[in-house]
Every structure is written in structure tokens, then in C-alpha cells.
């Protein structure tokens, strides 16, 4: 009985840490390691990986913006073409000559 109690007490003491030495925070492709007092502990390799991930995300964002701009320009051209077509057939706008 005493042996079981000591085993349970030991497993509880070892299984529940009172504080963390390091905390790894991962958000998307960016990863940081923090120590006590929220001190940043990223090593050079992790900093380089984070930099590459950040640059990749920025490139993807720029590409998405460029694609949206192209789509807006295409839609504008379609509208201009439709307006020109309507004008060629007499149009629908009635106003001053």
C-alpha cells in the first residue's frame, strides 16, 4: 500500500511541471521559442526559417493582390466593351445631343 502511494505521488510530482522552461509558439509557418519572462530564444536556424517563411507569405500576398488587380482590369474592359457595343446600336442613354 505504501509502495503504491509513493509511486502515485512520484508520478504526480514528475507529471505536472510547476513551470515551463521553454514554450514553442507556432502560428502558421512562423515559429518562436520563448523562455522564462517571455524572453525570445530563437536560434539562428529558426530565425532564418522564419525569415524565409515570412518572405514567402509576403510574395504570396503580392501575387494575390496582382491577380485581383488583373481581374478588376479585365472586368473594366468587359464593361467598356459592353458600353461601346450599346453605343454602336443606338444605345440606351437618352440625353442631350
Amino acid at each position: 500500500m505504501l509502495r503504491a502511494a509513493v509511486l502515485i505521488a512520484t508520478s504526480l510530482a514528475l507529471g505536472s511541471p510547476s513551470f515551463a522552461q521553454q514554450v514553442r509558439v507556432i502560428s502558421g509557418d512562423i515559429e518562436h521559442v520563448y523562455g522564462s519572462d517571455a524572453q525570445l530564444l530563437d536560434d539562428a536556424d529558426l530565425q532564418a526559417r522564419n525569415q524565409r517563411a515570412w518572405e514567402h507569405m509576403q510574395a504570396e500576398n503580392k501575387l494575390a493582390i496582382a491577380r485581383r488587380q488583373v481581374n478588376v482590369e479585365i472586368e473594366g474592359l468587359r464593361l467598356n466593351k459592353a458600353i461601346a457595343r450599346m453605343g454602336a446600336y443606338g444605345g440606351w442613354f437618352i440625353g442631350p445631343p
Side-chain angles (χ1 to χ4, degrees), residues 6-21:
V6 170
L7 180 62
I8 291 173
T10 305
S11 65
L12 288 175
L14 295 176
S16 60
S18 58
F19 62 94
Q21 296 295 322

Side-chain angles (χ1 to χ4, degrees), residues 21-23 32-36 39-43 46-47:
Q21 296 295 322
Q22 291 183 350
V23 176
H32 292 291
V33 177
Y34 293 96
S36 60
Q39 180 184 13
L40 189 63
L41 301 176
D42 293 354
D43 60 4
L46 185 56
Q47 288 176 2

